[in-house]
Amino acid sequence: MTSLDLLAAATALVAFSGLPGLLFRAGSNAAQRAATVLHVAGCSAGCAAAAWALAGAPVAVRFAWPLPGGSVTFALDRLSAFFLVPVFVIAGLGSIYGEGYWAETRHPENGRKLRAFYGLATASLAVVMAAGDAWAFLVGWEIVTLAAFFLVTTDQNDARALRAGWIYLVSAHVGTLALFAMFALLRDATGGWLLAPSAALGSSALLRPILLLALAGFGLKAGVIPLHVWLPDAHAAAPSHVSALLSGVVLKMGIYGLVRVFSMLPAYPAWLGLALVALGISSGVLGVVLALAQHDLKRLLAYHSIENIGIILIGLGVGVLGVAQGRPDWAVLGFAGALLHVWNHAAFKSLLFFSAGAVIHATGTREIDALGGLLRRMRLTGAAFLVGAVAICGLPPLNGFVSEWLITLGSFRALTNGGAGVGLLGAAAGAPALALIGALAVACFVKAFSAVFLGSPRSPRAAAVTGDAVRSMLAPMAALAAACAVIGLWPAGAARLGRDAAGALLLGRASEGAGADLTALGAIPLVLVAILAVLCAAAVAWARPAVRTTTWDCGYAAGSPRIQYTASSFGQMLVGLFRWAVLPDELRPRPDGPFPAPGPRFESHAPDPVLDRLVLPGLTRGRTFLGLARVIQAGRIQAYLLYIVVTLVILLAWSASS
């Protein structure tokens, strides 16, 4: 038995985990429990297979089939195993979380559908990561797309969910068309369908279009700006544990596809690294700026997914430029940081979606301005959200700091080359971009945490919350919070796994200096924790008893929820600085007279600048233009024959003149 055999068994188990539940009546707890047990068992076996592959040698198996190529190949190496870990960890924890969040007794009309497609999505994600050729990859890719569509549209009575699902489906298939073209060109350049290193790609004239199609197709799935049009609505409309799977895992399909194609190359062109850094910086900065302008808690988290995909792309760009410039020391740091951020983002973003889901489950609303004061009644959920917020901001001593520090260190290494050039400047641009992204992320999550959990309730829904989430929802949150802390406090082990997985991207180059950097990284979080502990102890020792006294009350004796900061007012200044990118809609009523009558209040909304400002209006205008075709649809055979004759005459005249 090999790790691939164990992975096959795990994939089959999770794929069919939802089917036994169909034998029970709708609303049955037994159906939900059976699906959860089978799914968690399959995910546990999948994690064991991934751990086996990370520690062992690559394995591959080939099966004959009648479609093009004559066979289909599955392979498991350290790179694919590295990406399999978040697939099974996040999906397994999400299955447990769904026990309380989307209970069968509360959702008898769609609970069985959700569990069936949740298992199918998990299995098809494993197929994508274990695909050894283009056909296996595309089959898994398409099944993920269809399963995710049905997951996003779980609530078929919600018009917003249906809209988000169809936008996702159309966008995903546009990306698939680009991938079909990319794999066809790869077949012409390499002479086969295998996803394996090929020296022929180095001298092929098709290399540039192959890489451009890869950036387009995989970038659309990963949500890279401006190809992110499906992401905010899909993440917001889906059930929260599905949102965690979409953000923590499905987006990484695009990243995995990119790095798998990169691993086939014999060398990296410098323009590829520059393109990755540019896409990463734009996605990182604009993603967090758009998040700052959101009022919907899950849309805010969705835009932060775009931000973190940007961070991963910056790391990949630094690594590609390092190899292209002959500097494997900072190439290793860039690649290792990017791959480690795949794990880190899966952990803290799933934690944030689980926490947000607990809030939505308790209050029934995603509107940030309708929340507030929840920390008093949802202490554990609030603590979990705070851990995720600190991690996503890249602050020590949690895991987000580790991967971002590696990428920043690789970017700084570009400045020590002693030379100049566009490649060096491109790699060096990553460090200040990460600093800006981190600062904006801190501002955004200070807004989110304070508006949701601090202050006083802003609505009767928030005031009516009486207790925390149930244990089936809190347990996955606790596990992910622990993962964020473990990687943050002991980063050397995770960084080494990232470096080992990045071996396929280094094209046979190694770096002892990078290994020393990874080893030294292990002491940084512990030192920071020790300093923090000393400062806290000193503050407690020197603190003096507070004296309660009356202060100037500014003319009123008690506050009210209406005078608290809202999501709009908190981020107004920063959103204003980036108004050119956010393009918010604002309603600014002007008061009439010294005692104006009650009327409209100030409101601001931030629709997506690409989807709502460009794509959908463009499609509307295109539909109007195509409607003019009805004029020539006379419904008469004679008219259609005349069109054919005129077309033939024009073609004959054109061919004769040429």
Side-chain angles (χ1 to χ4, degrees):
M1 184 176 183
T2 65
S3 58
L4 199 56
D5 296 326
L6 181 58
L7 177 63
T11 302
L13 195 57
V14 296
F16 299 109
S17 61
L19 295 185
L22 299 178
L23 303 176
F24 297 88
R25 62 177 177 83
S28 169
N29 281 328
Q32 181 173 4
R33 190 59 51 85
T36 301
V37 169
L38 291 174
H39 193 274
V40 172
C43 288
S44 300
C47 289
W52 188 356
L54 284 171
V59 292
V61 63
R62 181 174 297 180
F63 302 98
W65 74 341
L67 294 180
S71 64
V72 60
T73 305
F74 294 96
L76 194 57
D77 58 10
R78 287 181 176 177
L79 183 61
S80 54
F82 190 88
F83 278 83
L84 277 172
V85 171
V87 170
F88 289 115
V89 170
I90 302 304
L93 292 175
S95 184
I96 298 171
Y97 181 91
E99 285 274 307
Y101 180 79
W102 207 268
E104 178 72 16
T105 53
R106 296 183 58 196
H107 301 277
E109 71 283 357
N110 50 37
R112 294 182 297 177
K113 165 192 171 184
L114 173 61
R115 290 191 300 277
F117 284 107
Y118 193 83
L120 184 61
T122 306
S124 52
L125 284 164
V127 171
V128 170
M129 305 307 176
D133 61 27
W135 294 108
F137 189 96
L138 288 172
V139 168
W141 185 276
E142 185 62 17
I143 297 175
V144 171
T145 298
L146 295 176
F149 166 75
F150 287 109
L151 289 175
V152 172
T153 58
T154 295
D155 187 357
Q156 59 269 25
N157 297 319
D158 186 351
R160 294 181 299 177
L162 293 176
R163 176 183 183 269
W166 284 109
I167 290 174
Y168 164 74
L169 191 65
V170 172
S171 302
H173 281 99
V174 170
T176 302
L177 290 175
L179 295 185
F180 269 109
M182 183 205 72
F183 283 122
L185 294 181
L186 272 175
R187 169 67 174 79
D188 287 343
T190 63
W193 297 105
L194 291 178
L195 302 179
S198 174
L201 284 173
S203 58
S204 175
L206 299 175
L207 179 60
R208 185 181 293 271
I210 287 172
L211 293 177
L212 290 176
L213 287 169
L215 289 173
F218 293 125
L220 215 159
K221 178 66 74 175
V224 177
I225 286 180
L227 306 176
H228 68 287
V229 293
W230 65 271
L231 192 152
D233 287 343
H235 283 46
S240 290
H241 58 305
V242 174
S243 301
L245 188 71
L246 291 174
S247 178
V249 182
V250 173
L251 294 186
K252 306 311 186 308
M253 284 175 56
I255 299 299
Y256 175 75
L258 279 177
V259 299
R260 180 55 71 184
V261 170
F262 294 168
S263 70
M264 299 174 62
L265 305 179
Y268 296 134
W271 68 264
L272 174 62
L274 294 173
L276 289 169
V277 171
L279 289 172
I281 292 175
S282 61
S283 297
V285 175
L286 295 180
V288 69
V289 168
L290 289 168
L292 267 166
Q294 301 306 309
H295 305 267
D296 185 311
L297 182 57
K298 289 181 69 177
R299 280 181 67 90
L300 180 148
L301 297 179
Y303 278 110
H304 274 286
S305 297
I306 300 173
E307 169 220 334
N308 281 273
I309 290 296
I311 292 173
I312 294 172
L313 290 181
I314 292 174
L316 292 177
V318 170
V320 167
L321 288 171
V323 174
Q325 296 286 332
R327 290 295 303 270
D329 53 340
W330 41 281
V332 171
L333 291 168
F335 284 139
L339 294 184
L340 182 56
H341 204 73
V342 169
W343 277 16
N344 290 340
H345 177 250
F348 58 62
K349 182 51 69 65
S350 298
L351 174 59
L352 287 167
F353 270 118
F354 286 171
S355 305
V359 170
I360 296 166
H361 187 265
T363 62
T365 181
R366 305 194 310 248
E367 189 68 23
I368 296 176
D369 291 338
L371 301 171
L374 295 179
L375 190 61
R376 296 184 182 91
R377 293 171 291 277
M378 302 184 72
R379 294 184 181 276
L380 296 178
T381 298
F385 191 94
L386 182 60
V387 170
V390 173
I392 198 174
C393 292
L395 298 176
L398 297 180
N399 58 342
F401 168 78
V402 179
S403 49
E404 292 190 34
W405 174 253
L406 289 175
I407 298 172
T408 303
L409 190 59
S411 181
F412 278 138
R413 280 293 186 93
L415 298 175
T416 65
N417 199 350
V422 177
L424 296 177
L425 293 177
L434 288 172
L436 176 60
I437 292 169
L440 292 173
V442 169
C444 186
F445 277 97
V446 168
K447 176 191 87 169
F449 183 80
S450 59
V452 173
F453 291 100
L454 303 182
S456 57
R458 295 179 175 83
S459 69
R461 288 184 173 184
V465 176
T466 58
D468 216 325
V470 296
R471 285 182 293 179
S472 62
M473 297 168 66
L474 290 173
M477 287 190 264
L480 291 173
C484 293
V486 168
I487 296 177
L489 294 174
W490 187 61
R496 289 193 199 98
L497 289 175
R499 181 186 60 186
D500 293 341
L505 301 174
L506 292 171
L507 310 182
R509 297 170 175 85
S511 173
E512 297 179 359
D517 291 328
L518 296 179
T519 303
L521 180 66
I524 294 177
L526 296 178
V527 171
L528 292 175
V529 170
I531 294 174
L532 182 62
V534 171
L535 292 176
C536 291
V540 171
W542 293 340
R544 297 179 180 178
V547 178
R548 294 184 177 272
T549 183
T550 303
T551 60
W552 180 39
D553 60 10
C554 301
Y556 58 85
S560 69
R562 293 191 61 186
I563 66 173
Q564 297 180 111
Y565 272 109
T566 63
S568 298
S569 58
F570 192 97
Q572 183 178 5
M573 183 186 71
L574 289 174
V575 172
L577 292 175
F578 293 91
R579 181 179 296 274
W580 55 271
V582 178
L583 302 176
D585 291 331
E586 294 183 348
L587 174 63
R588 294 177 176 267
R590 300 186 64 179
D592 184 17
F595 301 101
R601 297 185 300 174
F602 171 81
E603 295 181 2
S604 67
H605 302 280
D608 189 85
V610 178
L611 177 65
D612 298 311
R613 304 292 191 190
L614 295 176
V615 176
L616 293 181
L619 291 176
T620 301
R621 289 191 292 268
R623 184 175 59 185
T624 303
F625 176 77
L626 292 176
L628 298 176
R630 298 178 181 177
V631 176
I632 63 174
Q633 292 178 350
R636 299 170 58 189
I637 298 296
Q638 297 88 337
Y640 297 153
L641 291 175
L642 177 62
Y643 299 156
I644 294 173
V645 171
V646 171
T647 303
L648 290 175
V649 169
I650 293 173
L651 291 175
L652 289 173
W654 176 74
S655 61
S657 62
S658 60

